[in-house]
Amino acid sequence: MQTMKANVFRGPNKIGIEEVPRPSAGVGEAVIRITLTTICGTDLHILRGEYPVKPGLVIGHEPVGVIEELGEGLSGHKIGDRVLVGAITPCGQCRACLSAQWAQCGHGEGVEAIGGWRFGNTINGAQAEYLLVPNAQANLAKIPDELTDEQVVLLADIASTGFSGAESANIRIGDTVAVLAQGPIGLCATAGAKLMGASFIISVEGDPVRMEMSKRMGAYVVLDPKQCDVVAEIKKLTRGGADVAIEALGLQVTFENALRCLRPGGTLSSLGVYSGKLQVPYDAFAAGIGDYKIVTTLCPGGKERMRRLMSMVQSKRFDPLPLLTHRFKLDQIVEAYDVFGSRSDGCLKVSITP
Ligand SMILES: [Zn+2]
Ligand SMILES: [Zn+2]
């Protein structure tokens, strides 16, 4: 049996590189040799035991690689093709997928909440030398020759997720948009709001490195929540409330601030992952009759989504490279989690090379 190196989750605060069996491709599946991957904020939740996955699972869900093996039933790909695979791998066949809700894929049987997120969640993930890609026909996106691995790795999850916050809000040309929190996903939401045509983007963030990057991604004003009353300031700057507020943290306080800084009839687009109870205060919600809209989105995946995002990098409409601040080898993954998790040295996103 052939083996490979992989980052295995063994329990809360227990991860590390192990030799595990190398996957092989069954019908409709492919194996890619990973050439670049990264660590997601969600992986930190897994590491800390805040999001449960089975011990023994290889984690990570942002793969760039080269096709090593193609199972039966696939067409249009060949061994050696460079591919990007989304964090979400829809089957493309089920009720959810065919209703354009790929992230809630039911794997051929209807609808399953978060069912499209499989890598490093319900099946082995990308922080490894090799990765088994399910439903490969729907999920292998060929990388254009002129794009490097580093230019596309952040499209698998954070750019797709961040942009989707702006897309789900249906931002219109001339809208005012507030983006609450400027972690990697919030920064991509800011970039997405700009691409969607917002005329005025206000972001909320207190970390100096992230504040600076927020301006680079398209924010006109960055508010430090430690220095001002965020809601009052956004209402003042937008003369009555933002058209759209994007929540990118997953806390009661940011959700509530997002709701409170909207104009009546505005849209709260929520990207955060919440735990415990999430409450909607009636006063911020105009007692339920203020025509507010609350929408949520899980990272859109699939090869067509990846093709579209890569085309944005190719045409220089979006540059994800500034977000990639640190580089590590797969063998240094524990150190990489430390640096990423503690945000030390201005770390935004790390690249991991097997
Ligand atoms: Zn993620
Ligand atoms: Zn499906």
Side-chain angles (χ1 to χ4, degrees):
M1 187 180 59
Q2 288 179 302
T3 62
M4 65 169 184
K5 280 192 258 180
N7 182 30
V8 179
F9 173 80
R10 285 289 164 200
N13 298 310
K14 265 191 276 176
I15 53 164
I17 298 297
E18 296 182 19
E19 279 292 326
V20 303
R22 198 173 122 177
S24 61
V27 176
E29 299 171 336
V31 172
I32 63 172
R33 176 172 56 80
I34 298 285
T35 52
L36 198 68
T37 186
T38 177
I39 303 173
C40 178
T42 308
D43 296 324
L44 294 176
H45 291 301
I46 292 172
L47 173 65
R48 294 166 185 157
E50 296 157 1
Y51 182 93
V53 302
K54 271 205 302 278
L57 191 75
V58 178
I59 57 177
H61 52 257
E62 294 155 284
V64 178
V66 171
I67 297 177
E68 180 80 15
E69 201 189 324
L70 288 165
E72 277 174 61
L74 301 177
S75 61
H77 299 284
K78 56 182 195 310
I79 308 294
D81 279 353
R82 290 172 68 224
V83 289
L84 169 67
V85 184
I88 302 294
T89 47
C91 74
Q93 318 271 335
C94 70
R95 212 172 98 200
C97 285
L98 294 174
S99 305
Q101 255 130 26
W102 309 282
Q104 316 304 329
C105 172
H107 315 296
E109 297 173 22
V111 181
E112 183 191 331
I114 327 174
W117 176 30
R118 306 185 74 187
F119 289 141
N121 180 28
T122 55
I123 62 174
N124 280 339
Q127 288 161 10
E129 289 179 299
Y130 295 89
L131 173 72
L132 182 71
V133 180
N135 303 303
Q137 191 66 44
N139 288 294
L140 298 174
K142 199 166 183 317
I143 302 171
D145 289 339
E146 57 264 54
L147 294 182
T148 64
D149 288 1
E150 290 203 343
Q151 280 177 297
V152 299
V153 69
L154 301 184
L155 306 178
D157 185 359
I158 67 155
S160 187
T161 303
F163 286 4
S164 77
E167 293 168 282
S168 296
N170 272 321
I171 291 176
R172 296 190 304 165
I173 289 173
D175 270 350
T176 53
V177 178
V179 188
L180 291 91
Q182 294 289 277
I185 284 172
L187 287 165
C188 289
T190 300
K194 185 179 172 188
L195 290 168
M196 293 287 289
S199 61
F200 189 57
I201 302 169
I202 305 164
S203 68
V204 179
E205 176 60 53
D207 176 285
V209 173
R210 290 164 189 230
M211 291 172 89
E212 188 52 43
M213 191 60 72
S214 181
K215 290 202 172 144
R216 208 159 153 186
M217 290 290 140
Y220 292 79
V221 178
V222 186
L223 301 176
D224 182 346
K226 296 186 293 283
Q227 304 293 330
C228 70
D229 177 344
V230 165
V231 171
E233 201 60 31
I234 293 172
K235 284 200 158 161
K236 197 170 86 192
L237 289 165
T238 56
R239 292 192 215 134
D243 296 303
V244 167
I246 302 175
E247 199 284 350
L249 195 59
L251 296 177
Q252 174 71 34
V253 59
T254 40
F255 179 86
E256 207 171 309
N257 282 348
L259 191 57
R260 287 186 191 281
C261 73
L262 284 176
R263 63 160 169 83
T267 301
L268 192 173
S269 179
S270 171
L271 293 173
V273 181
Y274 304 91
S275 51
K277 197 188 268 183
L278 183 65
Q279 290 178 318
V280 178
Y282 86 96
D283 62 319
F285 201 47
I289 47 178
D291 290 353
Y292 290 101
K293 288 174 280 296
I294 298 178
V295 294
T296 71
T297 321
L298 171 61
C299 177
K303 67 181 177 187
E304 171 59 7
R305 175 68 170 179
M306 294 303 116
R307 184 198 66 77
R308 284 173 175 269
L309 296 179
M310 287 191 285
S311 78
M312 294 301 279
V313 180
Q314 227 176 337
S315 63
K316 302 193 164 44
R317 298 262 287 145
F318 174 64
D319 180 11
L321 280 180
L323 302 173
L324 209 50
T325 52
H326 291 67
R327 287 157 183 84
F328 294 92
K329 301 293 288 179
L330 183 62
D331 286 319
Q332 304 168 289
I333 195 118
V334 173
E335 186 192 343
Y337 267 81
D338 278 347
V339 171
F340 177 64
S342 63
R343 304 176 184 184
S344 54
D345 190 29
C347 182
L348 281 168
K349 284 290 274 189
V350 299
S351 77
I352 306 287
T353 315

